[in-house]
């Protein structure tokens, strides 16, 4: 049986719809997992979902309400959805507390960090100081890597990717600022932006700021991340 992986959908509160780029569930499926999209009905359902899924993947989407990390909204803050925020933050905390594997992608790495007490840059363009700035919202299609990420030697992501420097796509204007105590930074772009967080405290907790699901068809290294995640989700592994 394939490990059952819950995937959070991108909930658009304006038109009451959930959407999900199919590359997310194809990545899980190609990696050996059975993907299932999680609806946002009641925040109290989070515990149920943690108990039924073998692992949970947090996907991309709008900005997280900065109230969840104790800040007022910056003028450059984008669209937020408090329903999705509250649900995902609880789901992430419960998953980690119950030793369920967690993979965060783009907004997902931000959800992981905020759920455990970390903070975010609300807008890199306005708030990041760097002598070597780079473009984090690429104009190239998603399958193309446009900036490099240096991976910490010996980190989990380094062992998964089997490389110390990778080329990634980039579609974000926010990023992890202060890393939550449960995690550590394990990958950085040239301007110092944290592009990976991970943890040894949990069976599998990795968050990446790029979109590996848009690259894995052309870049085998990106599929390794999903495979490693799905393997960690295999209930027969324990
Ligand atoms: Mn980036």
């Amino acid at each position: 049986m394939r490990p059952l992986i819950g995937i959070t959908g991108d909930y658009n509160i304006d038109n009451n719809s959930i959407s999900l780029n199919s590359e997310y569930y194809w990545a899980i499926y190609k990696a050996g997992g059975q993907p299932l999209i999680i609806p946002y009905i009641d925040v109290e359902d989070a515990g149920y979902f943690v108990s039924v899924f073998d692992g949970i993947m947090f996907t991309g989407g709008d900005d997280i309400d900065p109230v969840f990390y104790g800040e007022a909204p910056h003028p450059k803050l984008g669209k937020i959805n408090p329903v999705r925020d509250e649900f995902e933050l609880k789901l992430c905390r419960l998953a980690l507390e119950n030793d369920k594997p967690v993979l965060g992608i783009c907004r997902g790495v931000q959800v992981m960090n905020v759920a455990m007490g970390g903070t975010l840059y609300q807008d890199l363009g306005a708030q990041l100081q760097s002598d070597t700035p780079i473009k984090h919202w690429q104009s190239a299609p998603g399958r193309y890597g446009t900036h490099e990420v240096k991976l910490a030697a010996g980190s989990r992501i380094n062992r998964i990717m089997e490389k110390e420097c990778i080329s990634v796509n980039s579609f974000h204007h926010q990023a992890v600022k202060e890393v939550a105590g449960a995690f550590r930074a394990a990958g950085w772009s040239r301007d110092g932006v944290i592009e990976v967080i991970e943890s040894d405290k949990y069976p599998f907790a990795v968050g990446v700021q790029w979109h590996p699901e848009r690259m894995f068809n052309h870049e085998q290294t990106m599929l390794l991340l999903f495979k490693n995640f799905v393997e960690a989700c295999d209930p027969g592994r324990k």
Side-chain angles (χ1 to χ4, degrees):
M1 279 241 296
R2 289 167 172 263
L4 187 63
I5 314 293
I7 305 181
T8 62
D10 187 8
Y11 176 23
N12 184 322
I13 206 163
D14 294 331
N15 62 11
N16 270 320
S17 71
I18 287 186
S19 62
L20 188 75
N21 188 321
S22 63
E23 288 160 327
Y24 282 113
Y25 59 73
W26 275 113
I28 292 297
Y29 193 76
K30 292 245 164 102
Q34 176 60 59
L36 205 57
I37 301 168
I38 302 174
Y40 301 93
I41 298 171
D42 186 334
V43 71
E44 296 305 321
D45 296 335
Y48 169 76
F49 288 125
V50 166
S51 67
V52 296
F53 287 119
D54 297 311
I56 297 174
M57 180 162 83
F58 293 86
T59 57
D62 296 331
D63 293 352
I64 298 172
D65 188 338
V67 76
F68 292 108
Y69 48 94
E71 289 185 15
H74 183 278
K76 294 282 186 186
L77 177 72
K79 203 166 138 185
I80 58 166
N81 177 344
V83 176
R84 183 177 182 189
D85 288 345
E86 196 189 353
F87 184 90
E88 282 191 318
L89 291 168
K90 183 170 181 185
L91 187 66
C92 185
R93 267 193 298 271
L94 285 178
L96 292 170
E97 283 168 8
N98 287 279
D99 283 342
K100 289 289 170 92
V102 166
L103 175 62
I105 292 178
C106 198
R107 169 190 160 92
V109 64
Q110 298 167 10
V111 167
M112 288 171 65
N113 193 48
V114 172
M116 302 312 280
T119 66
L120 305 178
Y121 285 104
Q122 292 192 43
D123 183 70
L124 288 173
Q127 297 179 315
L128 180 76
Q129 310 290 332
S130 172
D131 297 332
T132 53
I134 57 170
K135 190 175 172 74
H136 284 285
W137 204 293
Q138 72 187 45
S139 306
R143 60 173 281 196
Y144 296 104
T146 60
H147 75 67
E148 289 187 334
V149 171
K150 201 172 183 309
L151 304 177
S155 60
R156 180 164 202 149
I157 189 77
N158 170 224
R159 297 198 306 272
I160 293 170
M161 299 288 199
E162 297 170 339
K163 287 178 181 175
E164 289 201 359
C165 192
I166 56 174
S167 177
V168 305
N169 59 18
S170 203
F171 295 95
H172 59 110
H173 82 109
Q174 299 198 316
V176 168
K177 189 161 71 178
E178 293 159 297
V179 181
F183 303 120
R184 60 165 180 269
W188 303 264
S189 48
R190 188 184 67 177
D191 52 3
V193 167
I194 294 168
E195 294 260 347
V196 188
I197 63 170
E198 58 175 45
S199 178
D200 289 331
K201 278 184 66 174
Y202 310 108
F204 185 104
V206 176
V208 300
Q209 187 56 70
W210 66 92
H211 283 278
E213 82 285 359
R214 296 190 197 167
M215 299 180 78
F216 77 92
N217 276 320
H218 310 279
E219 175 54 62
Q220 200 63 17
T221 311
M222 296 301 167
L223 188 59
L224 295 175
L225 176 59
F226 295 104
K227 282 186 169 166
N228 200 277
F229 170 58
V230 170
E231 277 166 23
C233 294
D234 185 352
R237 193 181 147 93
K238 284 176 185 160

